[in-house]
């Protein structure tokens, strides 16, 4: 609860002096979060000292404070507690300081320390490796702000549903850990929302095995949707591809993006493909192409066209996949084009 009212308040001279002595670029702080400089109490030297104790040099300390100025408003006790907390999953202080430099905001959010600690211990107990937990702490810090009971509840709902859908007890732990590693944000959903989404799929005639398949393919993103948006997306796809319910189901299993993306996103991507001269029939044959943004599709078509590959008459498989997949496909087409027509190892018939 720091005051952010900047009117008629002066910058704290002592804070400024201490920041200057650490070679911190104060203009950056003024531009980012000037209110920090107006606070009556700041712990500039103390926080810098703790960071230096962990192995940070002067440049690193200045960089951290410039990126996250509110760091200096935390008490040394709060920061030492946070340090001890993150050390539960960090190999050493060298790794810890590197993480703080990359993700200072995550480290200096100290309001939820009890929840953070309980969740770290829960994730370790669940079997998540420490390097995955550190990734969560930096890239999905808000999952640690939940009370541990809430996260436990979501995990138990997932486990129960996995078994109900025919998943085996032996594979359940691997499945849960993989799902969490791919998408920790599933923990921000409620157990009710998870249950409703699974029921929606079952009502739409997806078998238990198919629902499990979709959950794995969607990396848990299905839990961030709701039945209304999924219904609209499926209705849109059914109209566009002029297919039966059974055919639509097969398309969704082939390309879960038809379920995941909203109608406006699907419309925009479809329009981009049609503008390139690609037909609806081609898209229906290879719906995974809708997983790519219009810009990526245009870029790939351009590269393939430069090799003389006509996407309008071929299938769309060559456009698909990750950047790495595409580069492999492109390389194969390129080497095929560059291959000599004659057989270089065949004997040459030269007249004497």
């Amino acid at each position: 609860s720091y005051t952010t009212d900047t009117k008629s308040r002066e910058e704290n001279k002592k804070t400024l002096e201490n920041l200057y002595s650490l070679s911190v670029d104060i203009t950056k702080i003024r531009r980012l979060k000037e209110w920090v400089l107006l606070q009556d109490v700041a712990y500039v030297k103390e926080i810098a000292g703790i960071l230096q104790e962990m192995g940070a040099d002067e440049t690193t300390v200045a960089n951290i404070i410039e990126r996250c100025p509110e760091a200096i408003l935390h008490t040394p006790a709060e920061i030492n507690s946070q340090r001890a907390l993150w050390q539960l999953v960090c190999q050493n202080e060298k790794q810890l300081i590197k993480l703080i430099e990359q993700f200072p905001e995550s480290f200096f959010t100290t309001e939820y320390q009890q929840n953070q600690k309980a969740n770290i211990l829960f994730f370790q107990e669940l079997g998540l490796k420490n390097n995955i937990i550190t990734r969560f702490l930096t890239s999905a810090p808000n999952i640690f702000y939940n009370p541990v009971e809430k996260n436990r509840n979501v995990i138990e709902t997932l486990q129960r549903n996995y078994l109900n859908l025919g998943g085996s007890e032996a594979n359940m732990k691997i499945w849960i850990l993989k799902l969490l590693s791919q998408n920790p944000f599933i923990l921000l959903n409620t157990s009710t929302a998870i249950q409703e989404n699974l029921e929606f799929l079952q009502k739409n005639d997806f078998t238990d095995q198919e629902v499990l398949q979709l959950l794995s393919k969607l990396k848990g993103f299905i839990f961030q949707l709701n039945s209304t948006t999924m219904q609209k997306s499926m209705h849109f796809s059914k109209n566009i591809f002029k297919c039966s319910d059974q055919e639509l189901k097969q398309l969704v299993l082939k390309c879960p993006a038809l379920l995941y993306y909203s109608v406006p996103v699907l419309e925009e991507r479809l329009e981009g493909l049609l503008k390139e001269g690609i037909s609806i029939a081609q898209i229906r044959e290879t719906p995974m192409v809708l997983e790519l943004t219009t810009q990526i599709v245009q870029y790939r078509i351009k590269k393939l066209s430069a090799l003389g590959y006509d996407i309008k008459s071929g299938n769309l498989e060559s456009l698909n996949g990750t950047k790495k997949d595409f580069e492999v496909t492109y390389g194969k087409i390129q080497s095929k084009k560059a291959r000599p027509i004659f057989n270089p190892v065949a004997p040459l018939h030269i007249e004497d």
Side-chain angles (χ1 to χ4, degrees):
S1 55
Y2 308 110
T3 180
T4 51
D5 178 18
T6 56
K7 287 173 190 168
S8 73
R9 298 207 51 198
E10 284 186 7
E11 290 179 350
N12 184 325
K13 287 197 173 84
K14 191 181 172 195
T15 301
L16 293 178
E17 282 167 19
N18 289 335
L19 289 170
Y20 276 126
S21 72
L22 290 168
S23 308
V24 171
D25 184 344
I26 292 169
T27 55
K28 274 187 186 174
I29 296 180
R30 284 196 183 110
R31 196 168 63 243
L32 263 180
K33 290 175 182 172
E34 193 194 16
W35 58 271
V36 170
L37 304 173
L38 310 177
Q39 305 308 312
D40 296 332
V41 180
Y43 302 93
V44 183
K45 284 185 173 174
E46 294 86 340
I47 301 309
I50 293 171
L51 293 170
Q52 283 161 344
E53 251 177 58
M54 285 191 261
D57 58 20
E58 191 180 287
T59 312
T60 303
V61 171
N63 187 25
I64 289 169
I65 294 172
E66 283 164 13
R67 286 190 55 199
C68 184
E70 59 269 43
I72 63 172
L73 302 178
H74 290 288
T75 66
E78 284 174 331
I79 297 312
N80 277 322
S81 294
Q82 195 73 339
R83 175 185 179 179
L85 202 59
W86 282 47
Q87 277 175 326
L88 292 172
V89 287
C90 283
Q91 293 167 347
N92 49 42
E93 296 213 308
K94 190 182 174 187
Q95 187 202 5
L96 177 53
I97 205 72
K98 202 175 169 187
L99 287 174
I100 296 171
E101 189 177 12
Q102 287 175 298
F103 308 94
E105 292 85 359
S106 300
F107 180 79
F108 289 106
T109 301
T110 62
E111 292 89 330
Y112 306 92
Q113 278 180 342
Q114 274 184 309
N115 285 356
Q116 281 185 328
K117 185 173 185 178
N119 279 307
I120 285 173
L121 297 174
F122 168 59
F123 291 142
Q124 287 177 327
E125 181 194 308
L126 203 60
L128 276 173
K129 291 195 167 77
N130 283 344
N131 64 326
I132 301 285
I133 301 173
T134 53
R135 201 182 80 212
F136 289 179
L137 276 168
T138 52
S139 60
N142 38 352
I143 68 170
F144 292 87
Y145 309 159
N146 286 337
V148 72
E149 295 74 28
K150 197 255 177 205
N151 286 341
R152 196 185 296 276
N153 202 358
V154 170
I155 295 295
E156 283 169 1
T157 303
L158 289 168
Q159 289 171 327
R160 192 172 56 251
N161 277 293
Y162 179 76
L163 294 175
N164 289 345
L165 291 165
S168 73
E169 190 87 49
N171 291 333
M172 184 175 70
K173 186 181 175 181
I174 296 165
W175 182 77
I176 285 284
L177 295 181
K178 191 177 177 187
L179 201 61
L180 272 178
S181 307
Q182 290 172 328
N183 181 16
F185 298 105
I186 55 175
L187 292 170
L188 299 179
N189 298 289
T190 63
S191 308
T192 320
I194 289 173
Q195 201 68 50
E196 281 172 3
N197 287 353
L198 293 174
E199 282 167 14
F200 167 81
L201 292 173
Q202 287 168 318
K203 278 176 195 162
N204 278 274
D205 294 329
F206 285 92
T207 65
D208 289 355
Q209 196 54 47
E210 287 167 345
V211 174
L212 263 187
Q213 192 186 323
L214 274 174
L215 296 191
S216 303
K217 276 192 174 182
L218 278 166
K219 301 176 182 175
F221 289 116
I222 190 169
F223 301 129
Q224 285 157 246
L225 303 172
N226 62 62
S227 52
T228 313
T229 54
M230 287 194 280
Q231 188 69 64
K232 284 179 181 170
S233 297
M234 282 176 75
H235 183 68
F236 172 78
S237 299
K238 190 178 176 182
N239 284 342
I240 286 294
F241 296 120
K242 296 183 173 46
C243 56
S244 68
D245 288 345
Q246 188 55 35
E247 287 168 333
L248 176 64
K249 203 174 79 160
Q250 291 312 312
L251 282 174
V252 168
L253 288 168
K254 212 172 175 184
C255 175
L258 295 176
L259 196 67
Y260 176 64
Y261 289 123
S262 65
V263 171
V265 171
L266 290 172
E267 271 180 329
E268 185 213 336
R269 293 187 177 185
L270 204 68
E271 208 176 298
L273 289 162
L274 296 175
K275 271 185 188 166
E276 295 293 334
I278 291 164
S279 69
I280 291 284
Q282 282 176 294
I283 300 167
R284 182 173 165 169
E285 195 59 41
T286 316
M288 295 78 77
V289 77
L290 290 166
E291 290 172 3
L292 305 169
T293 66
T294 305
Q295 289 78 4
I296 290 173
V297 166
Q298 286 170 341
Y299 167 77
R300 291 183 181 183
I301 288 175
K302 202 173 173 184
K303 281 200 81 170
L304 291 171
S305 298
L307 293 179
Y309 185 90
D310 183 13
I311 202 76
K312 291 173 215 168
S313 57
N315 73 28
L316 305 183
E317 287 293 341
S318 48
L319 289 178
N320 274 345
T322 60
K323 187 182 178 189
K324 197 177 173 183
D325 295 334
F326 175 72
E327 279 165 7
V328 170
T329 307
Y330 178 79
K332 282 179 185 170
I333 294 169
Q334 197 176 31
S335 61
K336 204 173 176 184
K337 192 176 186 299
R339 203 176 291 150
I341 306 161
F342 68 92
N343 183 348
V345 293
L348 290 175
H349 298 289
I350 302 167
E351 285 180 20
D352 293 330

